[in-house]
Amino acid sequence: MGSTGEGFGRRDLIKRSAALGLIAVPTMSFLSACASGGGDTSTKGPDKGLVSKENPFGLAKGGKLDVVIFKGGFGDDYAKAWEAAFDKKWGTTSSHLGTQEIAAKLQPRFNGGNPPDVLNDSGAQMIKIDVLAKGGQLADLTAVLEAPSIDDPNKKVRDTLIAGTVEQGTQAGKFVALNYVYTVFGFWYSGKLFKEKGWTEPKTWDEFLAVCAKAKEAGIGGLAHQGKYPYYINVVIMDLIAKKGGLEAMKAIDNLSPNAFEGNPAALAAIEAVYEVVEKGYLMPGTNGLTHTEAQTAWNQYKAAFIPSGSWLENEQLKQTPADFDMKFLPVPVLADSKLPFAAIRAGANEAFVVPEKAANKAGGLEFLRTMLSREWSTTFAQQANSLTVVKDGVDPSVKLRPGTQSAVAAVKAAGTDTFNYLYPDWYSEMDSDIQNASNELMAQRIQPKEWIKRAQAAVDKAAKDPNAKNNHRS
């Protein structure tokens, strides 16, 4: 996920919203990356004699560029458009792979020393960024941050990014991943269904449970969740913890505190709240056994009132969503005595793009990332993927995004500086997986809330023994 713990400035936010006519918000993709085959290493390398303000990495004309994109919620048409533009400017020949099988297709290439030049490492089958970083497999992208911005060469690229982008992509003090998509997380619902049923958008957890009860009475599920991928229900759990306990509760988890979960009343209150949905039978029947797309499609068919996801959901479900569905975003409702308001949301940089350390055309990879952070390519992404990027004012005002994204933009505006984001999923992927596994057991009623707390704390304590942990700290 991405963003600073404290959120980014209201001025940046309003400028970004205005740039879209208050109509567009980010999208992250739980599935998105492009991989390319072949081990040809004939690509031209950097030429120091070519370095200039317009060509900061000394990229020689011609040669090859190998791009692999996660083809998930955002698709990969945007990347094909980027590659065509890049080839036209630099005379390169790009090879493109769009796939969801990132680990299966890319791990052998990393192991063999012939990785692609650009990789969108995302999705359920991504190679964990912290694992690649520890293995010395990722190029340091600091040079991209320090390079001149394409739109304003008097500005560094780093000065064109929303707050939290650099922090999100930093591993053990080194910036190695460009999280490109500005994403908002929370619940989603159908405006049409709510209008037909006379339901009101819930702002408190009690109100949320009341809508779930009404949904059950109407013969539909209160909450659908992507049971085979507990990543999604963890959005709800972790947001409840952050909103109940405030930013300190969130930072305690990222900083691997011995009291991150055990001894943290906010964590217990959050997990008990989610478990109440299970105990009262408010889950959509069968949802525990569904993939993300299966659960989301059932929700699109009005079989459940709510579903948790990031703002890539709308683009991912374009073909399954009825024309009059009226997709709406809802911040996770608050528990009693929460330190953060209802309007507070998890938002920030997501969807990692990396340049492998052993890329045959590293200069091309770095220049590709620099160009991604131009207004032109940011606008292309917004048009093709219905999402915003981490480039401030990066989208042409004429771009119109869809209802769900408009709703998310309005939520970002309402949140103001009350945005937050966790860093532990990027810093400690094994810890993240262990907590997801505990959530899976909880939702299936195989464990109780106190056992979830115990397992989550054990995952934190295990991560704290990682020598790299001392280099990851948020103040």
Side-chain angles (χ1 to χ4, degrees):
M1 338 269 105
S3 172
T4 64
E6 283 68 25
F8 58 96
R10 176 179 290 271
R11 186 173 61 177
D12 284 345
L13 168 63
I14 291 174
K15 282 170 69 180
R16 284 166 55 73
S17 299
L20 292 176
L22 237 259
I23 40 181
V25 151
T27 285
M28 136 191 179
S29 164
F30 185 40
L31 300 127
S32 226
C34 77
S36 165
D40 189 310
T41 56
S42 63
T43 308
K44 295 176 183 177
D47 183 336
K48 291 181 181 177
L50 296 175
V51 173
S52 67
K53 210 167 188 179
E54 293 73 33
N55 186 9
F57 310 114
L59 175 59
K61 293 268 186 177
K64 298 180 180 180
L65 188 76
D66 188 348
V67 183
V68 177
I69 301 295
F70 172 67
K71 191 175 180 179
F74 301 125
D76 65 345
D77 286 346
Y78 68 89
K80 292 176 183 176
W82 287 349
E83 290 155 22
F86 195 82
D87 288 348
K88 184 177 180 180
K89 179 175 180 179
W90 292 100
T92 45
T93 302
S94 291
S95 62
H96 173 95
L97 173 63
T99 180
Q100 292 190 10
E101 300 174 22
I102 298 298
K105 293 188 183 296
L106 273 296
Q107 195 66 65
R109 296 190 59 191
F110 274 102
N111 294 344
N114 66 322
D117 303 312
V118 177
L119 169 62
N120 170 207
D121 188 19
S122 185
Q125 300 174 54
M126 69 183 288
I127 306 174
K128 302 300 184 184
I129 296 292
D130 60 332
V131 173
L132 287 172
K134 286 177 192 173
Q137 299 273 27
L138 300 180
D140 187 340
L141 302 179
T142 305
V144 176
L145 298 177
E146 295 301 314
S149 159
I150 283 177
D151 296 311
D152 181 357
N154 293 316
K155 273 187 182 178
K156 291 182 178 180
V157 166
R158 70 162 66 244
D159 297 326
T160 69
L161 307 178
I162 65 164
T165 304
V166 176
E167 182 183 34
Q168 194 69 38
T170 298
Q171 295 278 344
K174 185 192 289 187
F175 181 62
V176 295
L178 170 62
N179 288 280
Y180 186 68
V181 184
Y182 184 78
T183 306
V184 174
F185 299 86
F187 283 123
W188 300 81
Y189 67 93
S190 162
K192 178 187 177 183
L193 180 66
F194 269 56
K195 189 173 182 180
E196 285 180 354
K197 300 294 185 185
W199 298 338
T200 304
E201 182 179 273
K203 290 183 168 61
T204 69
W205 195 255
D206 285 344
E207 291 171 354
F208 173 78
L209 293 175
V211 175
C212 287
K214 290 175 183 174
K216 186 178 181 182
E217 289 169 13
I220 64 177
L223 176 65
H225 81 108
Q226 302 84 336
K228 287 191 175 179
Y229 297 106
Y231 165 95
Y232 292 87
I233 197 65
N234 266 15
V235 168
V236 183
I237 293 168
M238 304 309 287
D239 278 20
L240 281 171
I241 292 173
K243 294 178 96 163
K244 173 77 173 174
L247 296 178
E248 293 310 311
M250 175 194 71
K251 290 176 185 176
I253 295 170
D254 283 344
N255 289 335
L256 308 179
S257 164
N259 301 313
F261 292 103
E262 287 186 332
N264 179 353
L268 183 60
I271 203 67
E272 286 179 338
V274 172
Y275 193 62
E276 191 172 355
V277 176
V278 181
E279 280 193 309
K280 290 188 172 177
Y282 295 159
L283 286 183
M284 181 183 78
T287 196
N288 283 335
L290 300 181
T291 65
H292 59 297
T293 51
E294 289 168 343
Q296 291 159 193
T297 298
W299 169 74
N300 280 143
Q301 295 166 347
Y302 306 104
K303 292 179 181 176
F306 301 101
I307 196 162
S309 187
S311 46
W312 62 89
L313 176 69
E314 186 168 38
N315 200 63
E316 190 166 59
Q317 293 298 117
L318 278 182
K319 293 179 181 176
Q320 289 75 32
T321 306
D324 60 351
F325 189 79
D326 190 21
M327 193 178 293
K328 299 280 190 185
F329 173 79
L330 176 75
V332 172
V334 291
L335 298 166
D337 302 316
S338 285
K339 291 186 178 179
L340 294 183
F342 162 72
I345 51 175
R346 189 195 308 200
N350 281 275
E351 197 69 21
F353 284 76
V354 300
V355 174
E357 178 62 34
K358 294 184 179 177
N361 189 0
K362 190 187 289 187
L366 296 175
E367 180 62 25
F368 194 87
L369 263 58
R370 184 175 82 108
T371 315
M372 282 171 58
L373 298 168
S374 67
R375 187 179 175 88
E376 181 183 350
W377 281 26
S378 184
T379 297
T380 297
F381 185 84
Q383 290 170 323
Q384 299 278 357
N386 296 299
S387 299
L388 291 190
T389 72
V390 294
V391 182
K392 295 176 190 173
D393 304 323
V395 179
D396 188 285
S398 66
V399 176
K400 301 289 187 280
L401 298 188
R402 294 174 181 271
T405 304
Q406 293 181 34
S407 172
V409 169
V412 173
K413 184 170 185 284
T417 56
D418 284 321
T419 63
F420 60 92
N421 215 335
Y422 287 92
L423 296 178
Y424 79 86
D426 290 327
W427 283 351
Y428 311 109
S429 60
E430 187 177 354
M431 167 183 154
D432 184 31
S433 295
D434 288 346
I435 296 173
Q436 288 185 34
N437 291 338
S439 298
N440 191 33
E441 296 293 287
L442 182 92
M443 299 307 288
Q445 288 189 290
R446 289 190 288 266
I447 64 172
Q448 302 290 310
K450 286 183 179 176
E451 175 63 20
W452 185 95
I453 293 286
K454 183 179 175 182
R455 294 187 186 190
Q457 187 63 52
V460 168
D461 296 343
K462 184 178 178 183
K465 295 175 182 174
D466 184 333
N468 254 353
K470 66 179 184 295
N471 297 314
N472 294 329
H473 185 82
R474 63 190 307 175
S475 55

